Amino acid sequence: MPTDTKRVRGPDVSQSPSLYVYSPAPVCAPDGLRADGRQWDQVDVRPVFVRCGLVSQAKGSAYIEAGHTKVISCVYGPRETERKDDTDMKSGRLVTDMRFAPFSCPERGSWIQGSQDKDCSLMLQESLQPAICLHKYPRSQIEVNVVVLENSGSVLAHAITCASLALAHAGIEMYDMVLGCTIRQAGASYMADPTYMEENSCSSASGQNQGGLTVAFLPSLNQISGLHSDGEMTEETLTARVRTCIEGCYKLYPVIRQALAKALRKAAPPPPES
């Protein structure tokens, strides 16, 4: 029987699809700690790896990795805008676009193309805009693109931090850096910088004091530029968790500042020879 050369033949040996089924890890470890060894009711954030200038085609870029959460951001502009409104002529315009890669979420059904991207892009813009000196860029547009490569929890907070770092690396004038932190409330306890499984396990529970909070914070000015919450929390719990998020941002600030300073020293021209 002749062989069909136009057909792409599959492998001779295949594996069962059940080997790749996502199996969630337990939220609590047997010793009472969280699944990754961190403690409850403490600002115990994951170790962060940060790098600037990975995308040479962009004006500025940054990459952040917290646990298994991986986010990359690129900044383009400022470039002249085509809109002729009087308000846009007096100050610049910030455009944000945050997208999830199709392979970013552990469960494919949890990622709905379009709806989640649009909501996160809007929250990203609301968090970054108060920190940018848009009046210095009249009739101009600054574009911020964020791609989530792997979603392992607290993705919005790390996207805010990554985008702010990319803006600073691009030389955009800002009042301050913007750092993000997420807290997940589970009854009387909370989890700082929750993982993907911790976010989903708490969101499925019902009752009072069950929800999440993401805060965008300007550390040098000691101001909040954005706040997003979901679920149900009492006023006292919400106020306490805002303070907890601010403490988490302060823990992250030295790492971000050191990564930006390292990138700027690397890009600086060498001193003239005497």
Side-chain angles (χ1 to χ4, degrees), residues 69 128 253 271:
T69 298
L128 294 176
Y253 189 39

Side-chain angles (χ1 to χ4, degrees), residues 165 177 220 252-262:
L165 186 60
M177 296 286 295
S220 297
L252 186 63
Y253 189 39
V255 181
I256 301 301
R257 188 170 52 185
Q258 182 180 2
L260 181 59
K262 181 179 179 180

Side-chain angles (χ1 to χ4, degrees), residues 105-123:
C105 295
E107 295 175 318
R108 189 175 180 85
S110 64
W111 175 77
I112 303 176
Q113 186 175 7
S115 61
Q116 190 175 4
D117 296 346
K118 188 178 297 184
D119 294 340
C120 290
S121 299
L122 181 59
M123 290 183 285

Side-chain angles (χ1 to χ4, degrees), residues 7-71:
R7 183 183 298 273
V8 179
R9 302 186 63 184
D12 296 332
V13 180
S14 62
Q15 293 179 335
S16 173
S18 60
L19 295 175
Y20 304 98
V21 174
Y22 173 68
S23 56
V27 177
C28 298
D31 54 359
L33 300 176
R34 294 160 65 178
D36 54 3
R38 291 181 292 161
Q39 298 183 354
W40 290 75
D41 299 327
Q42 291 192 17
V43 190
D44 197 356
V45 297
R46 291 174 288 183
V48 175
F49 171 80
V50 184
R51 184 68 60 85
C52 296
L54 296 180
V55 182
S56 59
Q57 294 85 353
K59 183 72 177 297
S61 61
Y63 170 81
I64 187 169
E65 184 175 323
H68 293 292
T69 298
K70 302 177 180 65
V71 181

